[in-house]
C-alpha cells in the first residue's frame, strides 16, 4: 500500500483524492448549517417573525431565559432580537463604508503616487496590520479610546440628557465602528493594491497616452478594472465585521440597545451589542434549553448572512464580465 | 520624383512579396499575381491594394516640420538608450524607425509624448520641439493629446466600443458630456480608423470581443478622436496577422495626409511600404536618416547596409 503511494501519482488518483477532500468541506458546511438550524428551531417556532422584531428589553429577556428550567414553557423563549440584529447591521455597514473609502484612497496612493521607498515599507506594514488579532484592537480600544471618548467627547450635559434611558460611558457605536474600520481596512487595502497591480499595464498607459492624468487614469481605468476585487474585498471585510465578537464585546458597551439616529450626535455614543458579541457573552449560560436555542438562532442568522454576502458578491460581479473584466 | 534607375535598384533588392510590384514608366505600380497563393494577397482586394499603393503616394517635397528632435538622449540609470538623436518629423508623412531589438526605437518614440517620464530611472537630455515649442513647456496632458500613441499590443479598455473612443473626449471636457454630445466625434473617429462599417450595428459591444486587428484599429480611432497632430505607433502590427497588418498599413497611408506619423517597426518590408523617411537606429545611435528609397537602396553607413542587406539577404 505504502509502496503504491510512494510512486508518482497518476492524475486520476490525484483527482479522486482531492475531489474527496473538497467534498468533505462541502459536506461539513451542509452538516453545520443543518445542525445549527435544527438546534435553533425552537426559538423560531415559539417566536415566529417577532424574533426579528423589537419587543421589550432584549437584555432582560435573555437574562430571564438563563433562569428557565430544563423543560421551558413556550413563553420562556420570548425574545425580540431586533436591537442585536440592528447593531450588527449598523456596525458592519458603517465600518465597511468608511473602511472602503479609506482603503480605496490608500490603495490608489500606494500603487500610483507613493514613492517606491515608502511603498516598500507601507505594503508589508498593511499586511501585518491585517493579521493583528482582534483582541489586541479591543484592548487598545477599551484602554485608550473609550476613556478618551468618555472624557473629552461626551459632555456631562449630553450624559444627563439621556440618563433615564441609557448611560453613556464611552463604550458604544463610535469606538466600535472606529476600531472595526481599523481592523478591516488593512485587508481591503491589501486586496485592492494587489488587484490594481494586476490591471494590465497597457490599459493605464493607453489612458495616459491619450492625455489623461494619472489620477483620472487610475479611477477611470484601473479602479474600474479592479472592481471585482473591490467587491471581493468588501465581502471579506463584511464577513470579518459581522463575525467580530471579542473586540466588539469589549468596546460596544454590551447593551441590547438600538442607537437611534434621530438622537442627533448622541447617536454615535450610544451603546449597543451585535449578534456575535452576544453569542460570546452568553455562551456560558447555554445550559438552559431556551437560552441554547436562542444562541443557536443568533448563530444561524450570522451563518445565513455570510451565505447571502457571498451570493451578493457573486451576483454583483456578473455584469462586469460583459466587458471582459476578469472576475 | 524618384528616379527610375533608383527605383529599379530597390526592386532588385526587395524580398519576395515586394518583388511582385512592377513599376511602370508613370510610376504607377501594378501587381503581378504570384502563381502560389500568398496569404496576404489572397485574402482580399484591399490587401492587394496596399501592396499596389505601397510606393504610389510618394511626394517630391517634404511637408512642414511638426516636431524636431535636437540632440535627444535618454538614459535608464547609467545605461544610455538613445544617444544624441536629431530628427525632423514632418506633417503629412510617415517616419519609420527601424533597427534591431534594444536599439532605442521604442524609447525614442515614448520620449516624444513624454511617456518615458513614467519610468522613474529614465532621464532625458536634449530638446524636443512641437511646432517650435519645447514640449517641456507644455502641460503633459495637453502634449499627449496633440501627440497621441498606439501601442504594440492592442489595449482597448474593458468598456464598450463607444466608450473606448469617447473616453478621451469625455476626459478632456470639464463636464462629462452625454452620449449624444460626443457621438458625432466618435463615429468620425471610427470612420477615419476604417472600423465604422464593421462595428456600426452595435457600438455598445464590448471592445475586447473584437478581433486583434479590429482592436488595434479601435485603439487608432481612440487616438484619433482627440484630433492629434502627431500619431506615434509602436510596432502596431507585430501582434496581428498578415490580413490585419495589411488593413492597418492601408489605414496609415490614408491618415498620412492629415497627420505626422512616426512608426516603429521590426519589419523592414513594412518600413519600406509605409515609410516616407526611414531612420535606422543601432545601439541608441541614429545611424542613418533619409528618404526610404535612399536608405534601402543606397545606404550611406556600413551598419545600415549590413542590417538592411542581412534582412534582405
Amino acid at each position: 500500500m505504502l509502496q503504491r503511494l510512494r510512486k508518482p501519482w497518476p492524475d486520476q488518483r490525484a483527482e479522486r483524492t482531492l475531489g474527496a477532500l473538497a467534498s468533505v468541506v462541502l459536506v461539513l458546511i451542509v452538516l453545520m448549517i443543518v445542525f445549527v438550524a435544527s438546534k435553533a428551531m425552537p426559538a423560531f417556532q415559539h417566536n415566529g417573525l417577532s424574533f426579528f422584531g423589537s419587543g421589550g428589553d432584549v437584555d432582560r429577556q435573555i437574562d430571564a431565559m438563563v433562569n428557565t428550567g430544563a423543560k421551558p414553557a413556550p413563553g420562556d423563549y420570548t425574545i425580540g432580537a431586533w436591537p442585536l440584529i440592528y447593531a450588527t447591521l449598523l456596525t458592519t455597514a458603517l465600518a465597511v463604508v468608511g473602511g472602503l473609502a479609506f482603503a480605496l484612497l490608500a490603495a490608489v496612493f500606494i500603487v500610483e503616487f507613493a514613492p517606491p521607498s515608502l511603498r516598500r515599507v507601507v505594503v508589508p506594514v498593511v499586511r501585518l496590520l491585517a493579521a493583528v488579532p482582534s483582541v489586541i484592537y479591543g484592548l487598545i480600544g477599551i484602554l485608550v479610546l473609550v476613556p478618551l471618548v468618555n472624557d473629552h467627547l461626551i459632555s456631562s450635559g449630553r450624559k444627563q440628557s439621556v440618563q433615564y434611558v441609557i448611560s453613556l460611558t464611552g463604550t458604544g457605536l463610535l469606538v466600535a465602528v472606529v476600531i472595526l474600520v481599523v481592523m478591516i481596512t488593512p485587508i481591503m487595502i491589501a486586496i485592492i493594491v494587489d488587484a490594481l497591480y494586476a490591471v494590465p499595464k497597457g490599459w493605464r498607459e493607453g489612458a495616459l497616452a491619450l492625455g489623461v492624468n494619472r489620477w483620472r487614469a487610475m479611477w477611470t481605468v484601473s479602479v474600474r478594472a479592479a472592481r471585482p476585487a473591490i467587491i471581493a474585498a468588501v465581502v471579506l471585510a463584511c464577513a470579518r465585521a459581522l463575525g467580530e465578537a471579542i473586540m466588539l464585546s469589549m468596546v460596544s458597551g454590551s447593551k441590547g440597545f438600538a442607537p437611534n439616529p434621530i438622537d442627533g450626535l448622541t447617536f454615535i455614543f450610544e451603546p449597543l451589542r451585535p449578534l456575535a458579541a452576544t453569542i460570546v457573552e452568553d455562551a456560558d449560560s447555554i445550559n438552559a434549553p431556551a437560552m441554547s436555542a436562542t444562541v443557536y438562532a443568533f448563530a444561524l442568522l450570522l451563518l445565513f448572512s455570510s451565505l447571502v454576502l457571498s451570493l451578493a458578491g457573486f451576483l454583483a460581479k456578473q455584469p462586469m464580465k460583459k466587458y471582459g473584466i476578469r472576475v | 520624383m524618384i528616379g527610375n534607375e533608383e527605383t529599379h535598384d530597390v526592386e532588385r533588392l526587395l524580398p519576395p512579396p515586394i518583388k511582385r510590384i512592377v513599376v511602370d514608366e508613370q510610376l504607377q505600380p501594378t501587381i503581378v499575381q504570384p502563381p502560389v497563393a500568398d496569404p496576404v494577397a489572397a485574402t482580399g482586394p484591399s490587401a492587394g491594394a496596399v501592396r499596389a499603393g505601397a510606393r504610389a503616394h510618394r511626394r517630391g517635397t517634404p511637408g512642414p516640420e511638426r516636431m524636431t528632435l535636437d540632440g535627444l538622449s535618454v538614459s535608464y540609470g547609467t545605461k544610455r538608450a538613445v544617444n544624441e538623436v536629431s530628427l525632423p518629423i514632418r506633417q503629412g508623412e510617415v517616419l519609420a524607425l527601424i533597427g534591431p531589438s534594444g536599439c532605442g526605437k521604442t524609447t525614442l518614440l515614448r520620449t516624444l509624448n513624454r511617456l518615458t517620464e513614467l519610468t522613474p530611472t529614465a532621464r532625458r537630455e536634449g530638446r524636443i520641439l512641437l511646432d517650435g515649442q519645447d514640449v517641456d513647456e507644455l502641460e503633459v496632458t495637453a502634449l499627449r493629446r496633440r501627440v497621441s500613441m498606439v501601442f504594440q499590443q492592442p489595449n482597448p479598455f474593458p468598456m464598450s466600443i463607444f466608450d473606448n473612443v469617447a473616453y478621451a473626449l469625455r476626459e478632456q471636457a470639464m463636464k462629462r458630456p452625454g452620449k449624444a454630445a460626443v457621438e458625432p466625434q466618435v463615429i468620425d473617429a471610427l470612420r477615419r480608423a476604417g472600423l465604422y462599417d464593421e462595428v456600426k450595428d452595435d457600438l455598445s459591444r464590448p471592445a475586447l470581443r473584437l478581433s486583434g486587428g479590429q482592436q488595434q484599429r479601435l485603439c487608432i480611432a481612440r487616438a484619433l478622436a482627440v484630433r492629434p497632430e502627431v500619431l506615434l505607433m509602436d510596432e502596431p502590427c507585430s501582434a496581428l496577422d498578415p490580413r490585419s497588418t495589411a488593413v492597418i498599413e492601408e489605414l496609415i497611408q490614408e491618415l498620412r495626409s492629415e497627420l505626422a506619423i512616426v512608426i516603429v517597426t521590426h519589419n523592414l518590408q513594412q518600413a519600406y511600404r509605409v515609410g516616407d523617411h526611414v531612420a535606422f537606429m543601432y545601439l541608441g545611435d541614429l545611424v542613418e536618416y533619409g528618404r526610404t528609397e535612399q536608405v534601402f537602396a543606397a545606404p550611406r553607413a556600413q551598419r545600415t547596409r549590413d542590417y538592411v542587406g542581412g534582412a534582405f539577404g
Side-chain angles (χ1 to χ4, degrees), chain B residues 277-297:
Chain B
H277 278 81
V278 169
F280 171 62
M281 290 184 71
Y282 188 72
L283 295 178
D285 291 321
L286 176 66
V287 176
E288 185 146 355
Y289 167 77
R291 296 195 63 83
T292 305
E293 294 77 10
Q294 178 252 311
V295 172
F296 277 99

Side-chain angles (χ1 to χ4, degrees), chain A residues 189-256:
Chain A
I189 295 179
I191 295 174
I192 298 173
V193 162
D194 284 347
L196 289 179
Y197 275 129
V199 170
K201 224 177 103 208
W203 287 347
R204 173 174 171 265
E205 279 195 340
L208 295 175
L210 289 169
V212 174
N213 65 18
R214 290 193 291 153
W215 169 250
R216 287 296 299 169
M218 196 71 203
W219 289 106
T220 54
V221 176
S222 301
V223 171
R224 255 182 76 97
R227 278 174 304 169
I230 294 172
I231 290 174
V234 166
V235 168
L236 260 181
C238 276
R240 188 153 193 215
L242 276 176
E244 182 46 46
I246 294 290
M247 184 279 284
L248 285 177
S249 164
M250 289 162 91
V251 303
S252 67
S254 210
K255 290 243 168 25

Side-chain angles (χ1 to χ4, degrees), chain A residues 162-176:
Chain A
V162 290
Q163 61 181 335
Y164 298 111
V165 188
I166 198 86
S167 63
L168 305 178
T169 58
T171 53
L173 184 61
L174 178 67
V175 178

Side-chain angles (χ1 to χ4, degrees), chain A residues 260-274:
Chain A
N260 195 338
I262 61 168
D263 294 348
L265 203 56
T266 310
F267 167 67
I268 63 170
F269 300 118
E270 285 170 347
L272 72 176
R273 191 181 60 228

Side-chain angles (χ1 to χ4, degrees), chain A residues 39-65:
Chain A
K39 288 283 192 180
M41 222 42 211
F44 290 122
Q45 267 172 352
H46 294 291
N47 283 297
L49 276 181
S50 69
F51 180 89
F52 303 99
S54 58
D57 184 338
V58 67
D59 283 342
R60 219 169 276 158
Q61 290 163 340
I62 289 176
D63 285 344
M65 254 179 240

Side-chain angles (χ1 to χ4, degrees), chain A residues 150-166:
Chain A
N150 192 34
D151 296 345
H152 300 291
L153 292 183
I154 315 178
S155 64
S156 48
R158 193 181 295 284
K159 284 182 189 176
Q160 276 163 18
S161 71
V162 290
Q163 61 181 335
Y164 298 111
V165 188
I166 198 86

Side-chain angles (χ1 to χ4, degrees), chain A residues 116 201-214 216-217 220-221 224-225 227 321-325, chain B residues 110 113 115 118 141 144-145 147-149 151 155-160 167-168 171 204-206 208-209 222-223:
Chain A
K201 224 177 103 208
W203 287 347
R204 173 174 171 265
E205 279 195 340
L208 295 175
L210 289 169
V212 174
N213 65 18
R214 290 193 291 153
R216 287 296 299 169
T220 54
V221 176
R224 255 182 76 97
R227 278 174 304 169
K321 271 187 183 164
K322 187 181 164 198
Y323 291 109
I325 292 174
Chain B
R110 291 167 63 91
N113 64 351
L115 265 188
L118 299 176
T141 51
R144 288 178 189 157
R145 256 177 246 143
V147 183
S148 202
M149 187 158 180
F151 295 82
N155 57 351
F157 303 133
M159 314 168 182
S160 69
Y167 177 78
E171 283 300 316
S204 62
R205 236 182 337 153
L208 291 169
R209 294 264 169 79
R222 194 172 66 183

